[in-house]
Amino acid sequence: MERPRLTRLLDRTTARIILLAAPAGYGKTTLARQWLRGREHSWYPCTAASSDVAGLALDLSDRIIALLPELERPLRMHLRVAAQASDQLEHLTEVMVEHLLLWPADTLLAVDDYQQIAQSRASEAMFAAIVERTRVPLLITARHRPSW
């Protein structure tokens, strides 16, 4: 079902972060997909693995590499080093922020089912750092507002 009123509201926004928050079954994912048609974006469907900070970093790195293939080798190398670090969260966060600073300003990162990330303090802390320290345009669907 098309929702022209809601898509018009989305069309008018100039916000860097768009959050579609509602309980399960309200059509957040459908609305996001409809609105993203014809727009530059990278779709990230969160899964249970997104609540593991290393899994989240790997998934996000796949999105970065798809848009910026020249970063594959250095990004994978940095991730391997970060995975061995004593403070894995801090190192993985630094790697993600460093590489997401190169994210194209005209490409949205669509994060579907953010509540999967929010199940882990570490994953949510890494994502909060990405929000705070980068300019990546975000479209997020979630059942609840993120803590950040």
Side-chain angles (χ1 to χ4, degrees), residues 14-15 35 37 106:
T14 58
W35 185 67
R37 262 188 252 134
D106 62 344

Side-chain angles (χ1 to χ4, degrees), residues 70-130:
E70 67 276 11
L71 294 180
E72 181 172 13
R73 188 177 167 110
L75 179 53
R76 298 250 187 249
M77 183 178 67
H78 287 129
L79 285 175
R80 275 196 287 281
V81 170
Q84 304 303 319
S86 58
D87 187 350
Q88 190 180 43
L89 171 59
E90 181 182 333
H91 284 82
L92 287 172
T93 299
E94 290 307 313
V95 169
M96 288 294 94
V97 167
E98 175 186 340
H99 290 85
L100 284 167
L101 288 172
L102 303 171
W103 188 270
D106 62 344
T107 304
L108 279 157
L109 174 58
V111 179
D112 189 36
D113 287 331
Y114 181 86
Q115 68 276 358
Q116 297 287 343
I117 292 172
Q119 290 180 15
S120 159
R121 283 188 180 154
S123 291
E124 191 158 47
M126 181 167 70
F127 203 87
I130 289 167

Side-chain angles (χ1 to χ4, degrees), residues 36-42 67 106-109:
L36 287 169
R37 262 188 252 134
R39 287 184 168 74
E40 291 296 321
H41 71 280
S42 179
L67 287 175
D106 62 344
T107 304
L108 279 157
L109 174 58

Side-chain angles (χ1 to χ4, degrees), residues 6 9 76 81 138 140:
L6 294 175
L9 288 172
R76 298 250 187 249
V81 170
L138 296 165
I140 299 170

